[in-house]
Amino acid sequence: MLIGGLQKSSLLDYPEKISAIIFTQGCNFRCGYCHNPELLNLNINTSAQITAPAFFDFLKTRQGKLDGVVITGGEPCIQNDLAAFIKKIKEQGFFVKLDTNGTFPKKLEKLIKEHLIDYIAMDIKAPLEKYHKITGTIIKESDIKKSIKLIMQSGIKYEFRTTVISSQLSFEDLKRIGELIEGAEKYYLQKFIASKIYNKSLTDEKSYSPEDFKKIIDFLKTKIKFVGLR
């Protein structure tokens, strides 16, 4: 397991739970707005990297203090030993939330079938036909569709979410995302914040106004049970 960083405590990243956050190294996407660009490559060693044994030593000291662990990235499903890593977390009695981009449905299905995750957050980057523009890579549309279906039928608590730059995603694009995940329990639109990002040319880009977000959320609520704005 390549761990690019550890946040020892968070009240925000796992709904209703106090969690530690593991940032895995490596991602198959190159989204311009990515706020963890130091985690994209598998071969970069950063000062924040820690070993798996060191993480589990830390976790032992948090018994009774933390409820769960969030595994994010990067893209965690790139890691070949992800299932074994999660099993060790579960053996210590912690809940596990997984953040994923949905491009590894076979691995996701294995984690679900083996009851290794308790909450899933999947990023929906764009309508399927625009994924390559946002992610900088070619994806299999069928993988995204399969992951969405797996998650919605899993019986596990979940959310979908989309980071919104107004120049990248039109109202029509966001409506099509709503149709893609129609019937979902929970969906969040995330305002773009230009802080530490992969593509510096996006620094001056904006998200939508509160009024515009209200319009799209009103539509999305006809397709999805809960729609929120972060």
Side-chain angles (χ1 to χ4, degrees):
M1 174 68 67
L2 290 175
I3 302 173
L6 168 66
Q7 183 175 327
K8 294 182 177 180
S9 182
S10 170
L11 298 174
L12 301 175
D13 289 81
Y14 195 141
E16 301 178 355
K17 299 193 187 303
I18 304 171
S19 64
I21 307 173
I22 280 289
F23 298 87
T24 62
Q25 191 77 38
C27 187
N28 56 325
F29 283 177
R30 292 296 181 270
C31 305
Y33 53 70
C34 177
H35 59 276
N36 291 324
E38 72 280 1
L39 298 173
L40 296 180
N41 295 322
L42 282 167
N43 60 348
I44 291 181
N45 292 317
T46 71
S47 58
Q49 282 187 327
I50 66 170
T51 65
F55 167 68
F56 286 114
D57 286 343
F58 156 78
L59 209 54
K60 288 176 184 177
T61 70
R62 292 302 187 268
Q63 296 280 352
K65 299 176 183 178
L66 296 176
D67 302 310
V69 175
V70 176
I71 304 176
T72 188
E75 169 51 48
C77 290
I78 282 180
Q79 308 293 326
N80 290 327
D81 55 349
L82 179 61
F85 183 79
I86 294 177
K87 282 179 184 177
K88 291 183 179 180
I89 296 173
K90 299 287 285 182
E91 286 169 1
Q92 293 197 33
F94 293 97
F95 294 99
V96 173
K97 172 178 176 274
L98 177 71
D99 293 349
T100 183
N101 62 29
T103 53
F104 298 88
K106 288 183 179 179
K107 288 187 177 180
L108 187 59
E109 185 173 24
K110 173 182 171 66
L111 296 174
I112 291 170
K113 284 185 175 179
E114 295 186 5
H115 306 288
L116 292 177
I117 38 182
D118 305 288
Y119 195 107
I120 306 171
M122 178 178 163
D123 292 310
I124 307 292
K125 301 295 185 178
L128 293 174
E129 67 274 12
K130 287 187 72 172
Y131 251 72
H132 65 286
K133 293 183 179 180
I134 304 299
T135 67
T137 188
I138 302 299
I139 57 112
K140 288 184 179 180
E141 293 185 6
S142 59
D143 285 344
I144 301 299
K145 290 179 179 178
K146 185 172 183 180
S147 290
I148 290 170
K149 185 176 180 179
L150 280 169
I151 290 168
M152 290 179 63
Q153 294 180 351
S154 68
I156 297 170
K157 291 182 179 180
Y158 69 89
E159 66 185 57
F160 297 112
R161 57 198 188 182
T162 300
T163 297
V164 181
I165 298 178
S166 58
S167 64
Q168 291 185 344
L169 295 176
S170 67
F171 277 29
E172 189 59 36
D173 290 332
L174 292 168
K175 288 179 179 180
R176 288 204 296 277
I177 292 174
E179 291 163 356
L180 180 64
I181 59 171
E182 186 169 359
E185 292 289 334
K186 194 179 294 186
Y187 179 48
Y188 286 99
L189 299 176
Q190 300 180 152
K191 297 177 184 177
F192 167 68
I193 298 175
S195 53
K196 178 185 65 175
I197 55 176
Y198 174 62
N199 186 348
K200 301 283 194 301
S201 69
L202 296 177
T203 300
D204 294 328
E205 294 288 342
K206 305 293 182 184
S207 213
Y208 285 107
S209 68
E211 294 77 18
D212 285 338
F213 269 121
K214 184 180 184 305
K215 291 177 185 177
I216 187 60
I217 287 172
D218 285 345
F219 170 81
L220 291 170
K221 284 180 177 178
T222 68
K223 303 288 183 181
I224 300 160
K225 295 178 183 177
F226 172 86
V227 183
L229 179 63
R230 288 174 172 156

